[in-house]
Amino acid sequence: MDFQRYQQAAIKTLQPSADDTDPVLVPLLGLAGEVGSLSTAYKKSLRDGPAFEQGKLQLREELGDVLWYVAALADRFGLDLDDVAAASLEKTKDRWRTTPEAEYTRFDDRFPEHERLPRQTSLTFTPTTRDDGRILIVVTREDGNPAGDPLTSASHIEDDYRFHDVFHLAHAAVLGWSPVTRFLLGRKRRSEARTDEAEDGGRAIAIEEGISALVFSYAARHRYFADIKHVDNELLTTIAHMTGHLEVSICRAADWEHAILTGYTAWRQLREQNGGIVHLDLDRRLLSVEPA
């Protein structure tokens, strides 16, 4: 039975609401109650084990009741259960499946080679000490030229944010997107004015820097993702909202999660080694670090 047929059959048994009663209230409370009943049935199966002979049948019945109330609520909200189910699967795919290689978009393939992010390159993160004792990180390209200005952590508290350019490199490697990396490597797409302004310009750079700072604040409260395999969905949703008007919006939440975790793996290595050489491989969507 498909969801649409089930919903049509279920709402035939849906009783009308009492006068002056919110029509959503009864099925909503019913759903909450049935979830409690389902939990109770599962508790009994855990407690009694094989002795709870009706366990599977009771779980089947309680799940059926949950499904009935979901169908009723969908009807009360003017929603189609087929559409709800399809949207749920799409959301799950976006959250938990990275983009397959066959669907992966390289945003700059149609641009001249000198405006493309290099498919393979390396950058060196070298610490140096200022006259006032503060430590800076100098990032240099393969040709020895600097990639941007020397960086401090720009904070009253030293938290090694001075290595944060590696987050932008991870965005470039995993997502194929990073306005900051384009700026650092001189790869802005100037041959097309609208792309140069909207995708590679100051606003896009500010958004990526904002994402870097936002994620760092979250990471500081989660051991900088050491031994953590997933990022909270709320953070990924915020990033999706921030980048909704940019080309990177086609990337899935799972892609962003992979980029974030890749960046922090490299950041922790740079922090432990106090610098190093970061290798980007955009063809294989990889980022690696070795001692300088």
Side-chain angles (χ1 to χ4, degrees):
M1 176 177 286
D2 61 38
F3 281 122
Q4 186 177 52
R5 288 177 57 203
Y6 178 85
Q7 184 178 11
Q8 290 171 349
I11 61 177
K12 289 179 181 178
T13 59
L14 180 59
Q15 301 302 302
S17 301
D19 293 340
D20 300 323
T21 300
D22 183 352
V24 169
L25 186 59
V26 170
L28 183 61
L29 293 176
L31 176 61
E34 291 303 336
V35 170
S37 297
L38 177 63
S39 301
T40 299
Y42 184 60
K43 179 207 70 176
K44 291 178 180 178
S45 71
L46 289 177
R47 181 191 64 192
D48 299 337
F52 187 47
E53 296 181 356
Q54 299 301 310
K56 192 169 184 178
L57 288 175
Q58 188 170 348
L59 290 170
R60 175 174 175 262
E61 179 181 345
E62 299 298 348
L63 281 170
D65 291 342
V66 168
L67 184 59
W68 186 92
Y69 278 111
V70 168
L73 278 171
D75 179 73
R76 291 297 197 213
F77 289 133
L79 297 170
D80 181 86
L81 199 55
D82 260 344
D83 181 61
V84 170
S88 175
L89 289 177
E90 189 62 29
K91 177 182 177 181
T92 302
K93 182 178 72 173
D94 177 77
R95 177 63 185 88
W96 298 112
R97 289 177 54 197
T98 55
T99 302
E101 183 59 32
E103 300 175 18
Y104 178 60
T105 299
R106 290 168 175 80
F107 299 111
D108 55 9
D109 271 353
R110 62 187 178 85
F111 288 86
E113 186 171 354
H114 67 276
E115 294 184 351
R116 300 175 195 165
L117 289 170
R119 297 328 188 217
Q120 285 85 29
T121 193
S122 299
L123 293 98
T124 302
F125 287 64
T126 305
T128 184
T129 305
R130 293 197 320 193
D131 292 339
D132 61 4
R134 299 190 72 185
I135 301 174
L136 298 91
I137 290 296
V138 177
V139 182
T140 53
R141 302 185 297 208
E142 287 180 318
D143 59 9
N145 289 319
D149 297 326
L151 297 173
T152 68
S153 291
S155 173
H156 293 298
I157 300 172
E158 181 51 68
D159 55 8
D160 294 313
Y161 195 67
R162 60 182 179 270
F163 294 110
H164 85 276
D165 273 349
V166 76
F167 304 144
H168 305 306
L169 301 182
H171 298 163
V174 176
L175 305 172
W177 172 88
S178 174
V180 174
T181 300
R182 288 190 183 279
F183 171 76
L184 295 176
L185 300 183
R187 297 299 181 103
K188 295 183 69 177
R189 291 166 286 184
R190 299 186 185 279
S191 62
E192 189 174 282
R194 291 181 64 85
T195 298
D196 181 34
E197 179 183 8
E199 297 289 349
D200 301 344
R203 182 177 177 182
I205 288 172
I207 288 171
E208 189 184 4
E209 291 286 12
I211 290 170
S212 174
L214 174 67
V215 176
F216 194 82
S217 176
Y218 173 92
R221 303 190 301 273
H222 294 81
R223 300 182 58 244
Y224 299 106
F225 299 115
D227 305 318
I228 292 178
K229 296 182 179 179
H230 296 295
V231 178
D232 284 353
N233 193 58
E234 291 78 7
L235 179 62
L236 298 174
T237 298
T238 299
I239 293 172
H241 291 161
M242 293 174 70
T243 58
H245 63 289
L246 298 171
E247 60 191 0
V248 73
S249 62
I250 67 171
C251 289
R252 297 176 178 176
D255 296 319
W256 270 104
E257 179 177 70
H258 179 41
I260 290 168
L261 296 179
T262 296
Y264 274 85
T265 297
W267 178 85
R268 292 194 304 272
Q269 290 177 270
L270 290 171
R271 188 189 200 192
E272 291 165 6
Q273 299 168 182
N274 196 26
I277 302 173
V278 179
H279 302 287
L280 286 80
D281 186 337
L282 271 67
D283 288 331
R284 297 194 296 162
R285 302 167 76 180
L286 296 175
L287 188 76
S288 60
V289 179
E290 67 177 38

